[in-house]
């Protein structure tokens, strides 16, 4: 006679994980956040997209049907005309002559000061950092006239300036760009360097490394993401600047690319579709620099956003 084995009692269902409820509750908010970010992104991209759209259409078509109408004809003719009529190749070189040395000098001086302030035991380091940071609060337009008078009185040899002074030379624009951008870069790099492990530099000191070795061979390689992010921003700001070159350069052949757009404006009539094509061409180098340094740029911006 066989006895039936009692059935196993049903297992109680596991209580729902609080993380699951948290994810469910957070999902509508996350969708709302994504919708908000997409809306803001489209709002920032709308002028650029409209400029690209207008640059591909004839002016007669937009004048008759409006800029927000469907296209009847699209072409790249305006891009060819804008590049040839404005002489952009010459102005591109002028902008690179100003922006590339300006970015390199700014990052070098800023990293040097940031290393001294954050990693060397020096008196007044915090005060020095505050002075560099406070320099960014000074409106640039306030000192236009004093700088103009100063640069006309600084003599330079002929091989550095055709005018024999700092005025009407690339050196004046580069000096002003570096002077105004160093403070911001010092502030960012000093905070970045403070987050680096101090034990690395202490081990280098034990091995006999000097100040230059600790700066050039140890600290700077670790600051590559921050330097890439700052380099991208600095190149964009110096490349797009129009004020300082207009004030300190009188020779039209030395003006940067931003001034080339004035050559596309007529005396009695301006083709804004042609001007839009020129604006898109002018913006291409900054977009290219961002794409080349995108990985380092994002790493520099997000560094320190999470721990662990």
């Amino acid at each position: 006679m066989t006895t039936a084995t009692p059935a196993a009692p049903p297992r109680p269902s596991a209580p729902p994980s609080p993380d699951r409820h948290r994810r469910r509750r957070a999902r509508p908010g996350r969708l709302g956040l994504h919708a908000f970010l997409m809306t803001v992104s489209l709002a920032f991209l709308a002028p650029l997209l409209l400029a690209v759209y207008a640059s591909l259409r004839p002016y007669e078509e937009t004048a008759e049907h409006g800029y927000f109408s469907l296209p009847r004809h699209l072409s790249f003719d305006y891009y060819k005309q804008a590049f040839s009529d404005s002489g952009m190749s010459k102005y591109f070189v002028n902008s690179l002559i100003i922006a590339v040395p300006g970015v390199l000098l700014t990052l070098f001086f800023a990293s040097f000061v940031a290393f001294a302030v954050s990693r060397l035991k020096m008196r007044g380091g915090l005060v020095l950092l505050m002075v560099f940071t406070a320099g960014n609060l000074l409106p640039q337009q306030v000192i236009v006239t004093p700088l103009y008078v100063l640069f006309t009185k600084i003599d330079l040899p002929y091989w550095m300036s055709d005018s024999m002074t700092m005025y009407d030379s690339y050196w004046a624009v580069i000096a002003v760009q570096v002077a105004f951008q160093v403070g911001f870069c010092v502030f960012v790099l000093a905070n970045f360097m403070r987050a680096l492990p101090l034990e690395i530099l202490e081990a280098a000191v034990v091995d006999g490394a000097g100040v230059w070795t600790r700066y050039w061979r140890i600290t700077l390689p670790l600051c590559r993401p921050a330097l890439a992010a700052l380099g991208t921003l600095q190149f964009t700001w110096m490349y797009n600047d129009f004020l300082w070159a207009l004030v300190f350069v009188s020779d039209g052949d030395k003006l940067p690319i931003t001034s080339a757009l004035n050559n596309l404006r007529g005396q009695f009539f301006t083709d804004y579709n042609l001007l839009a094509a020129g604006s898109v061409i002018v913006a291409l180098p900054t977009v290219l620099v961002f794409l080349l340094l995108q990985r380092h740029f994002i790493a520099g911006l997000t560094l320190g956003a999470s721990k662990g």
Side-chain angles (χ1 to χ4, degrees), residues 250-293:
S250 61
D251 188 355
D253 293 334
K254 298 178 181 178
L255 291 174
I257 187 63
T258 49
S259 63
L261 296 178
N262 284 333
N263 297 337
L264 300 177
R265 302 175 64 94
Q267 183 178 2
F268 303 104
F269 169 75
T270 300
D271 189 339
Y272 289 100
N273 292 27
L274 177 63
L275 194 61
S279 301
V280 173
I281 295 176
V282 169
L284 287 180
T286 57
V287 176
L288 179 61
V289 170
F290 175 77
L291 293 178
L292 293 177
L293 300 177

Side-chain angles (χ1 to χ4, degrees), residues 125-305:
L126 181 59
V127 177
L128 182 62
L129 179 60
M130 293 175 60
V131 170
F132 273 95
T133 306
N136 293 324
L137 305 178
L138 179 68
Q140 300 181 4
Q141 294 79 4
V142 173
I143 60 174
V144 168
T145 303
L147 285 177
Y148 175 84
V149 176
L150 176 64
F151 288 161
T152 56
K153 297 180 180 300
I154 297 178
D155 296 330
L156 292 178
Y158 181 78
W159 59 272
M160 293 184 65
S161 174
D162 297 339
S163 62
M164 303 292 290
T165 62
M166 201 164 182
Y167 175 74
D168 195 20
S169 68
Y170 298 120
W171 300 103
V173 184
I174 295 174
V176 173
Q177 295 285 4
V178 172
F180 273 102
Q181 301 302 331
V182 161
F184 172 75
C185 294
V186 168
F187 176 76
V188 174
L189 289 175
N191 292 306
F192 186 91
M193 291 179 182
R194 283 196 180 98
L196 299 177
L198 188 59
E199 292 78 6
I200 298 178
L201 293 181
E202 291 177 349
V205 172
V206 173
D207 292 338
V211 176
W212 177 259
T213 302
R214 281 178 281 161
Y215 162 75
W216 186 258
R217 302 187 61 180
I218 299 177
T219 304
L220 279 190
L222 295 176
C223 296
R224 186 179 301 174
L227 292 174
L230 288 175
T232 305
L233 293 175
Q234 294 300 320
F235 180 83
T236 302
W237 293 339
M238 294 183 187
Y239 177 86
N240 290 329
D241 179 72
F242 180 72
L243 172 65
W244 295 119
L246 193 64
V247 172
F248 298 133
V249 176
S250 61
D251 188 355
D253 293 334
K254 298 178 181 178
L255 291 174
I257 187 63
T258 49
S259 63
L261 296 178
N262 284 333
N263 297 337
L264 300 177
R265 302 175 64 94
Q267 183 178 2
F268 303 104
F269 169 75
T270 300
D271 189 339
Y272 289 100
N273 292 27
L274 177 63
L275 194 61
S279 301
V280 173
I281 295 176
V282 169
L284 287 180
T286 57
V287 176
L288 179 61
V289 170
F290 175 77
L291 293 178
L292 293 177
L293 300 177
Q294 180 180 10
R295 180 169 60 89
H296 298 289
F297 179 76
I298 296 176
L301 292 181
T302 58
L303 194 66

Side-chain angles (χ1 to χ4, degrees), residues 82-92 257 260 263:
F83 192 85
S84 59
D85 290 357
S86 62
M88 284 189 178
S89 57
K90 173 180 61 180
Y91 294 105
F92 268 126
I257 187 63
N263 297 337

Side-chain angles (χ1 to χ4, degrees), residues 46-73:
L48 176 61
L49 296 177
L50 180 61
V52 173
Y53 181 54
S55 65
L56 299 174
R57 304 177 63 187
Y59 179 80
E60 295 77 10
E61 181 179 310
T62 56
E64 180 180 358
H65 303 284
Y67 283 95
F68 295 97
S69 59
L70 294 177
R72 275 76 171 174
H73 177 71

Side-chain angles (χ1 to χ4, degrees), residues 29-51:
R30 196 172 186 84
L31 291 177
L33 176 62
H34 287 175
F36 172 75
L37 293 177
M38 291 179 62
T39 303
V40 173
S41 300
L42 290 176
F44 275 94
L45 288 175
L48 176 61
L49 296 177
L50 180 61

